[in-house]
Amino acid sequence: MKLLRFGDVGSEKPAVLINNEILDVSAFGEDFGEKFLETNGIVRLQEWLKKNTHLPKVSSGARIGAPITRPSKIICVGLNYTKHALESQMDIPKEPIIFFKSTTALVGPNDDLIIPRNSMKTDWEVELAVVIGKKATYVEEKNALDYVAGYCLHNDYSEREFQLERNGQWVKGKSCDTFAPLGPYLVTKDELPNYNSLHMWLKVNGKTMQDNNTDDMIFEVPFLISYISQFMTLLPGDVISTGTPAGVGLGFKPPIYLKAGDVITLGIEGLGEQRQLAKAWS
């Protein structure tokens, strides 16, 4: 099943994508967030859809929001693709590099990218995001997928000066408004069993910058869930963004960074596509 949300910012409604049509499921009475997931909402919604087959269609021009309400955490994994670590001139990590991204960065998949005030080094990162489906603490790797609700496409935007040159942790370069476009939909795990073998790509102004596959991850999804759960409790709706392949702007010689007017498109096999227009902060 593919879950999504549509409507104006702050007023999104729940929907599902069935046979390439977006259907409004507001009558189900729940939005897609922590409570929905922790109360077995995906199964309950599937059962409800069997009995409610005549649902309003959503206009093709409707804005698509993030597929889940604001989660308690967005947890990112750094340098999780070998070639990306090398292009960043950093050592291959022996353990996952974990950092947070502010949940206020969360936006819809096609919302504008706002380049932050004083930014000169805003960069892109196509990533596979995992959405947690139930509370997870000290999870064993062999059981980790039991805690997954589904997967999403994520663009982990980064301001490299803020991230790498301003001291402290990476979170400063990761958390600006609009830096976490998610979606267009959450694909439940039963529809994406090959999560570890998905083609992923990103283009800037039509030029391919990233073109790789999730099979190039250093640390795979089950290990990441287990590892992170040793340090913190994961709640339903939490997002784990699993890292980006080579081809980020930082890795070019000289580096390439985004400017107002640039168009960024990206996608992951089975998870849809995104499109953002870069605009200057005002």
Side-chain angles (χ1 to χ4, degrees):
M1 187 160 60
K2 295 181 175 66
L3 309 181
L4 65 159
R5 299 167 67 246
F6 71 97
D8 295 337
V9 176
S11 301
E12 292 91 346
K13 297 178 180 180
V16 293
L17 181 67
I18 298 177
N19 296 327
N20 293 318
E21 290 185 332
I22 301 175
L23 303 177
D24 185 342
V25 296
S26 299
F28 181 66
E30 299 177 39
D31 203 351
F32 302 145
E34 182 177 343
K35 184 177 180 181
F36 169 81
L37 291 171
E38 72 182 357
T39 57
N40 209 23
I42 291 175
V43 172
R44 292 188 292 106
L45 178 58
Q46 288 172 331
E47 293 300 316
W48 184 86
L49 287 169
K50 294 177 182 178
K51 302 173 184 178
N52 296 269
T53 55
H54 300 289
L55 297 170
K57 296 180 181 179
V58 176
S59 167
S60 60
R63 171 187 173 269
I64 303 300
I68 55 173
T69 58
R70 186 181 295 177
S72 81
K73 297 182 282 298
I74 300 175
I75 306 158
C76 299
V77 184
L79 306 179
N80 198 28
Y81 286 73
T82 303
K83 291 180 181 179
H84 174 54
L86 295 175
E87 75 175 350
S88 301
Q89 299 182 359
M90 297 182 183
D91 294 335
I92 304 298
K94 296 178 181 178
E95 292 187 53
I97 296 172
I98 304 298
F99 59 91
F100 284 110
K101 195 176 188 85
S102 173
T103 59
T104 54
L106 190 67
V107 290
N110 304 313
D111 290 343
D112 292 337
L113 164 68
I114 305 303
I115 296 176
R117 179 191 285 181
N118 300 321
S119 168
M120 299 296 291
K121 298 181 179 181
T122 293
D123 204 347
W124 58 82
E125 296 188 14
V126 59
E127 303 200 5
L128 171 70
V130 181
V131 178
I132 297 299
K134 61 182 180 180
K135 186 177 179 180
T137 307
Y138 296 116
V139 172
E140 293 187 40
E141 184 176 351
K142 66 181 181 180
N143 300 323
L145 293 182
D146 295 342
Y147 294 83
V148 173
Y151 304 93
C152 297
L153 170 62
H154 177 221
N155 193 347
D156 176 23
Y157 280 114
S158 309
E159 213 297 338
R160 300 302 186 188
E161 181 185 0
F162 299 175
Q163 176 191 359
L164 302 172
E165 302 172 36
R166 298 288 296 275
N167 296 326
Q169 300 181 352
W170 288 1
V171 65
K172 290 191 293 189
K174 298 284 186 170
S175 296
C176 303
D177 291 350
T178 75
F179 267 31
L182 193 69
Y185 33 71
L186 182 155
V187 178
T188 53
K189 64 180 178 181
D190 58 299
E191 289 200 10
L192 205 71
N194 61 329
Y195 63 89
N196 60 346
S197 182
L198 303 172
H199 178 231
M200 57 199 312
W201 57 271
L202 183 144
K203 299 179 181 181
V204 178
N205 299 325
K207 181 179 179 180
T208 297
M209 299 299 193
Q210 295 183 279
D211 187 3
N212 208 312
N213 194 291
T214 58
D215 65 7
D216 193 37
M217 282 188 195
I218 298 168
F219 304 107
E220 296 186 358
V221 170
F223 180 84
L224 290 173
I225 293 170
S226 175
Y227 181 86
I228 294 169
S229 76
Q230 309 305 308
F231 301 99
M232 67 192 78
T233 293
L234 298 169
L235 297 178
D238 281 356
V239 175
I240 300 174
S241 198
T242 58
T244 197
V248 300
L250 175 68
F252 287 89
K253 298 184 184 302
I256 301 171
Y257 296 116
L258 294 168
K259 60 186 184 302
D262 285 344
V263 175
I264 305 93
T265 54
L266 59 148
I268 296 180
E269 178 185 351
L271 294 176
E273 299 183 4
Q274 297 183 359
R275 179 188 185 276
Q276 291 106 39
L277 172 64
K279 292 185 177 181
W281 187 92
S282 61

